[in-house]
Amino acid sequence: MRAGPMKPSGEGARGELFVVATPIGNLEDITLRAIRVLGEVDLVACEDTRHTAHLLAAHGIRKPTISYFEHNEERRAAELVERLRAGAKIALVSDAGTPTISDPGYRLVRGAIEAGCRVVAIPGASAVTAALSIAGLPTDRFAFEGFVPARAAARNAAFAALVSEPRTMVFFEAARRLDDTLAAMAAGFGVDRPAAIVREISKTFEETIRGTLGELRDQLSRRELKGEVVAIVQGAPVSAAKRDVVGERMTVEMLTDAGLGLKQASDLIARLTGRSRREIYQAALRRGGRGRDGFESDGS
């Protein structure tokens, strides 16, 4: 059933926060509901007021805007929550796509919830799902990793931690750093790992390049790209994930044989691998593991 127009806020009424997805390129990629909501709210909070003014004008909407971006988020969130408490209807938008997904907005959403205000998602465009849908890689399970770290050491460490990730991985990257990122991905994940690069989604020069990480690096190193890019990398082969599980099992047994309690061994492995200590501990219990702490599974 189609939702009707918003009711005007009365004195003392709690306001509402609408998290509105906006186009990631083509201005036609906006929902009818988003257009209606943007036309009915009291205020639009946005990263760049000039950018959002262009979007609103394209759809015949005239509403006041207020800047809400990374460097003023903490201060501005408190101010907007006070407006919500007073009954204001506020739309939160980012420059492109769905707000709070690698964009500012978390503090405002949390503040609105804690103030007892209704928070409503107005779904729409997302670079993550758009790129996944055309990458040609498995999409039954995926992990969104956000923006790739800009510094080489942090970037290499991030990829090293994901070497055995079995799910398809989605990254955001600036085109100017793509060559370095692909080189690091090829070194970390292997040159033969299938991947796809999707850039300028829904824009005039939209392009999707598919191949192995080695092929993508060779092909794109000769080109000068602009804008932002979505890089999608297929997850580790199941065999690699299994090898890690076997290695983890052997490490647990070695540590417990050396006299550590099972909880201590699980905590140590969790720190080294970044995995959940509880998952490692529970897996060891299911295998009938026992350490100095005396915990043991009956195999059931």
Side-chain angles (χ1 to χ4, degrees):
M1 183 173 67
R2 180 182 179 278
M6 289 182 284
K7 296 178 181 178
S9 53
E11 188 175 349
R14 292 284 182 180
E16 292 179 288
L17 176 65
F18 297 87
V19 181
V20 183
T22 56
I24 55 178
N26 192 311
L27 292 181
E28 293 179 354
D29 292 336
I30 188 168
T31 67
L32 294 174
R33 185 182 179 205
I35 292 172
R36 175 177 62 77
V37 167
L38 289 171
E40 294 177 356
V41 294
D42 302 307
L43 180 68
V44 179
C46 50
E47 287 185 85
D48 185 327
T49 55
R50 292 168 299 179
H51 182 93
T52 299
H54 176 64
L55 171 68
L56 296 178
H59 294 286
I61 300 169
R62 298 184 64 182
K63 286 290 170 178
T65 60
I66 187 171
S67 64
Y68 181 93
F69 55 93
E70 182 182 0
H71 300 296
N72 75 356
E73 183 179 10
E74 188 170 357
R75 172 176 57 84
R76 192 71 88 193
E79 176 186 332
L80 293 173
V81 168
E82 285 308 306
R83 294 198 186 198
L84 289 168
R85 289 181 191 274
K89 309 289 186 183
I90 299 175
L92 171 66
V93 303
S94 61
D95 282 349
T98 301
T100 79
I101 308 300
S102 281
D103 278 324
Y106 168 76
R107 284 189 176 90
L108 177 55
V109 170
R110 283 302 317 168
I113 293 169
E114 290 167 3
C117 300
R118 184 171 176 240
V119 179
V120 183
I122 309 298
S126 166
V128 176
T129 52
L132 274 168
S133 70
I134 59 175
L137 297 173
T139 57
D140 52 330
R141 298 176 69 222
F142 65 89
F144 174 56
E145 295 296 328
F147 284 96
V148 174
R151 295 184 179 274
R155 182 169 59 231
N156 294 337
F159 294 155
L162 293 168
V163 165
S164 299
E165 170 58 63
R167 296 169 293 180
T168 295
M169 295 168 283
V170 184
F171 302 89
F172 287 166
E173 183 56 291
R176 67 180 183 279
R177 291 197 298 264
L178 185 59
D179 189 40
D180 290 338
T181 293
L182 285 174
M185 284 179 169
F189 300 133
V191 293
D192 295 326
R193 185 77 71 90
I197 297 297
V198 185
R199 69 180 197 92
E200 298 292 277
I201 302 175
S202 82
K203 299 178 183 178
T204 303
F205 300 105
E206 178 177 333
E207 182 179 23
T208 303
I209 308 108
R210 305 174 183 87
T212 65
L213 285 171
E215 291 168 344
L216 293 177
R217 186 195 177 193
D218 290 343
Q219 181 179 345
L220 294 175
S221 64
R222 299 188 294 270
R223 296 179 54 187
E224 195 171 318
L225 303 178
K226 295 181 180 180
E228 290 186 352
V229 165
V230 181
I232 303 177
V233 181
Q234 187 165 307
V238 175
S239 57
K242 284 184 177 178
R243 282 198 300 272
D244 268 17
V245 170
V246 171
E248 178 186 289
R249 181 184 307 173
M250 292 174 62
T251 305
V252 170
E253 292 174 356
M254 289 170 64
L255 291 174
T256 54
D257 286 346
L260 283 182
L262 187 54
K263 288 185 177 180
Q264 291 174 300
S266 300
D267 183 59
L268 179 58
I269 295 169
R271 292 184 183 186
L272 292 171
T273 64
R275 286 195 60 208
S276 161
R277 183 189 68 82
R278 178 179 173 80
E279 287 181 6
I280 296 168
Y281 179 73
Q282 293 296 332
L285 283 181
R286 288 194 297 271
R287 294 193 298 269
R290 181 174 62 188
R292 198 172 57 185
D293 47 24
F295 285 89
E296 180 175 31
S297 169
D298 62 4
S300 61

